[in-house]
Amino acid sequence: FQVDGIRLIPLQLKNSEPDNQPVGFYPSHAVESRFGTILLEHEKGYLEINMNTASADSGFAARWHPLDKGCQGLAKDKQGNVFLLSGGTIYSCQQNGLLRGYFHTGLSKLSYLSIDRNENFWMADKLDKKVYRLNNNNFQEIKILAREGKYVDTLNPVVLSIYEDKH
């Protein structure tokens, strides 16, 4: 959708390969890259919409990118670079639509990707109830602790989303 004042206008897409896109496509997350594209996350891959190609009236070029190991997360850093999580590997999304390997976690069940203002990559494993951080090629599990008086307990939350408040 495109915002026009107080109205939402559905985008007209000119998909180069409409038969490859999953039936009933519903994105779970979207990010805008520094290249003028919007990437829409789906469990089977991602849809790339080029906002530089046309107007909302005539349609925007779109391309479906299926991924063998699915898409578990999309995130954007401060510079507008987009990263994608698929099958335990973080990829950098290039301007030509190609993916370049960035970091392999060794874990295949990760289910979320976020990047904070300090360029830390955060991932979650919903099934094993774990949170991970990648900082300068240092990949580690983060333990979440709760303290009450003199007692400390480890929490094992099911993380569905990671959000950083800008304040």
Side-chain angles (χ1 to χ4, degrees):
F1 289 94
Q2 183 176 21
V3 178
D4 180 24
I6 59 171
R7 299 180 311 149
L8 286 177
I9 301 170
L11 293 177
Q12 298 297 320
L13 302 180
K14 294 185 280 186
N15 197 336
S16 61
E17 301 169 13
D19 294 337
N20 291 341
Q21 186 173 317
V23 176
F25 176 82
Y26 293 103
S28 56
H29 185 67
V31 294
E32 183 176 0
S33 77
R34 63 186 173 103
F35 307 122
T37 59
I38 295 176
L39 284 75
L40 303 173
E41 174 187 335
H42 183 271
E43 64 186 16
K44 295 182 180 180
Y46 67 98
L47 182 66
E48 179 182 26
I49 302 170
N50 189 337
M51 301 301 288
N52 299 319
T53 57
S55 68
D57 298 332
S58 62
F60 294 94
R63 182 169 175 223
W64 171 248
H65 298 269
L67 298 171
D68 291 338
K69 296 182 181 177
C71 181
Q72 291 83 44
L74 282 172
K76 179 172 73 168
D77 67 11
K78 291 188 291 190
Q79 292 79 31
N81 299 309
V82 176
F83 295 87
L84 179 142
L85 177 63
S86 178
T89 300
I90 299 171
Y91 295 93
S92 172
C93 298
Q94 305 298 300
Q95 186 172 8
N96 56 8
L98 297 177
L99 300 177
R100 187 182 80 216
Y102 181 79
F103 187 85
H104 182 65
T105 67
L107 303 172
S108 61
K109 296 188 289 183
L110 297 175
S111 58
Y112 192 81
L113 178 66
S114 181
I115 303 173
D116 68 21
R117 70 178 125 227
N118 296 321
E119 305 294 320
N120 294 306
F121 288 73
W122 294 87
M123 289 142 278
D125 180 342
K126 288 191 295 190
L127 298 176
D128 290 333
K129 300 179 182 178
K130 294 181 180 182
V131 176
Y132 298 92
R133 179 180 67 189
L134 172 63
N135 179 338
N136 296 326
N137 284 331
N138 181 19
F139 184 71
Q140 62 187 21
E141 180 183 351
I142 302 298
K143 299 284 188 180
I144 301 172
L145 303 175
R147 181 175 176 189
E148 188 172 329
K150 64 180 181 176
Y151 302 101
V152 177
D153 194 14
T154 302
L155 301 178
N156 296 307
V158 175
V159 177
L160 301 177
S161 178
I162 299 171
Y163 175 78
E164 179 183 26
D165 192 344
K166 300 216 187 305
H167 301 287

